[in-house]
Each structure stands twice: as structure tokens, then as C-alpha cells.
Amino acid sequence: MPGRGKATAKPKGVPCRRHSRPPGCVVRAAAAVRIQAFYRGRLGRQLATRRRQRMEQEKLEEEQQKRMEQKKQQALEEAERQKKMQKENLLKEFRERKCTLEEMCQGLPSHTRDWEEKPLMLLEMLDGVGCCEAWLGRHMDGRSARKAYLALARKWHPDKWTVQGERCVAIATEVAKQLVRAYEQLCIDLPRAPADNCAAEDDDETRECCEFASWVGVSFHGMEEIWKERRGVKR
């Protein structure tokens, strides 16, 4: 038996263990290849995941854009429908209003002004086209203007149109308010009659004017003061 510490000679033909291992550079290269393959696969999976997420996000944005366009189109169609319906309602209301005015003008006992004979003219004046002279005409003094105003106010008093229906009452109220405003403007523009030249009829008519103005809900500036001045009422 060989002694300790002595190297034993290997038989010929048997490769040495030291020479059977691959070189270190080859091992490191193989490890580098495996590491690169690992990270390449991991990076590829991450890129594929990001690409899939991006495609899903683009798909969601496209669907959201389509929904927004559909909502916008529906809103435009709804606005167009509402506009068309509003136009039809206005046209229907205009026709009904015109027919009502024609019936009211035909039912008047007398016609003292042109607009009482022409419903279209009256309709335009109610929309704000007419002035005080168009409603009551031209007058030289307050007494003639008051008589013309009272003659029209008595015919167009809303209480006289209750039998014809609410629409006639509403139109009569509008006409009465326009008459009150026109008479108020004429009272401001026209000269006042002296207090000593006023008869009892003037006081009664002035009181009727004030009562009619308060009945239709229009405030008269100066009308009540004129009546108090003529009646001798202290303020």
C-alpha cells in the first residue's frame, strides 16, 4: 500500500479530474447567457403586459369617445326637438291668441279706436309696439283724454269677459294695463285743469280712474294726489 502523503500515480488512459472540468471563462459565459435569457424573458413578458394594457386603455378610450359622441349627438337631437316643439307651441299660442282677439273684437258693442277693429294690430300693440297715442289717440287736455280712457276701460274691463273664459279675461287684463299706462303718460304730458274749474263729474271720473288702475294692479303716479287735491283732502 502506498504511504501517506505520497502521490499515487494514475493509470494511463484515465483523464485527470482537473483537466476534465471546463475552463472558467466558458462557465462564466454560460452563466451570462442564462442570466441574459432570464432577464430577456422577463423583459419580454413585461413589454407584452404593457402592450396589452396600452391596447386595453386605447380600447377603453375609444369606447368612451364613442359614448361621448353619442351623448353629444343625442343632446343635439334633443335640443333640436325642444326647439321645434317650442316653435310649434309659440305658433299654436299665437293662433289661439289671434282667434281669441278676433272673437273679442267682434263682440265689442262699439269700436272707437282702430286697434279694436284690427286684431293683428292689437296683437302687435300688446307685444310692446304701441305707444300711448296709439292706445288713446291725441288729446289737447286731460279731460278729453280721461273720457276716452274711461270709455275704453269700461269696454275692456276683465269682469265683462268672465263668461267668455280665462283666455279672454287674461287678454282683457293685458289691454286694461296698457290703457292705464298710456293714460298715466298722457296725464304727465298734458296740462292739468285748474282746481276751481273742476266739476263733480271730474272728481267721479278721476276716482274711477284710480280705482280701475288699482284693480288691474298698476300703480298710478300722481293720480291719487290729483284726486285728493281736487277733493280738498289734506296730505
Side-chain angles (χ1 to χ4, degrees):
M1 293 181 65
R4 293 182 179 179
K6 293 183 179 181
T8 57
K10 291 186 178 292
K12 293 182 179 180
V14 178
C16 182
R17 183 179 297 179
R18 184 180 60 183
H19 295 289
S20 63
R21 295 178 180 177
C25 60
V26 177
V27 175
R28 288 193 295 271
V33 170
R34 288 194 298 270
I35 292 172
Q36 289 178 0
F38 171 77
Y39 282 105
R40 190 179 294 113
R42 184 176 180 181
L43 181 61
R45 289 191 296 271
Q46 291 179 354
L47 291 176
T49 303
R50 292 179 182 177
R51 189 182 301 110
R52 184 174 63 255
Q53 291 177 353
R54 186 170 60 253
M55 292 176 63
E56 292 177 355
Q57 183 67 23
E58 291 177 355
K59 186 177 180 181
L60 290 175
E61 291 178 357
E62 185 178 356
E63 292 178 355
Q64 186 177 3
Q65 184 69 19
K66 288 182 179 180
R67 287 195 297 268
M68 290 178 62
E69 291 179 357
Q70 290 178 357
K71 289 182 179 180
K72 186 177 180 180
Q73 185 66 23
Q74 291 176 359
L76 291 175
E77 292 177 357
E78 182 67 19
E80 188 68 22
R81 188 178 65 84
Q82 292 291 340
K83 186 177 180 180
K84 184 178 179 181
M85 186 180 299
Q86 184 179 5
K87 186 177 180 180
E88 292 177 355
N89 292 334
L90 289 175
L91 182 59
K92 181 180 179 181
E93 184 179 357
F94 174 79
R95 290 175 179 174
E96 292 178 354
R97 191 178 176 89
K98 180 183 175 183
C99 293
T100 304
L101 283 173
E102 290 177 353
E103 294 176 358
M104 294 177 70
C105 291
Q106 292 176 1
L108 291 174
S110 61
H111 300 86
T112 57
R113 301 296 304 163
D114 294 338
W115 51 266
E116 291 182 316
E117 300 177 357
K118 301 176 182 179
L120 287 178
M121 181 179 179
L122 177 56
L123 188 61
E124 292 178 356
M125 292 172 64
L126 288 175
D127 292 336
V129 179
C131 58
C132 59
E133 292 184 358
W135 285 102
L136 299 176
R138 293 185 178 182
H139 300 278
M140 299 302 296
D141 55 1
R143 180 175 296 176
S144 61
R146 183 178 64 246
K147 290 184 178 297
Y149 161 72
L150 287 177
L152 292 171
R154 289 163 185 164
K155 286 190 296 183
W156 289 94
H157 198 287
D159 286 346
K160 295 186 177 182
W161 300 95
T162 54
V163 180
Q164 285 77 3
E166 295 181 358
R167 185 175 292 273
C168 292
V169 173
I171 293 178
T173 304
E174 293 182 17
V175 175
K177 289 182 179 181
Q178 294 294 336
L179 291 174
V180 170
R181 294 189 180 97
Y183 179 57
E184 181 183 12
Q185 186 63 35
L186 286 178
C187 289
I188 296 174
D189 298 338
L190 295 176
R192 301 179 182 179
D196 54 355
N197 196 22
C198 296
E201 181 183 0
D202 296 330
D203 295 335
D204 295 337
E205 290 180 353
T206 305
R207 182 180 182 85
E208 185 179 357
C209 292
C210 295
E211 291 177 352
F212 184 75
S214 62
W215 190 91
V216 296
V218 178
S219 176
F220 252 37
H221 296 289
M223 294 301 299
E224 190 67 23
E225 286 75 7
I226 295 173
W227 178 77
K228 289 181 179 180
E229 180 181 353
R230 292 181 178 179
R231 298 287 293 184
V233 179
K234 296 182 180 180
R235 298 182 181 179

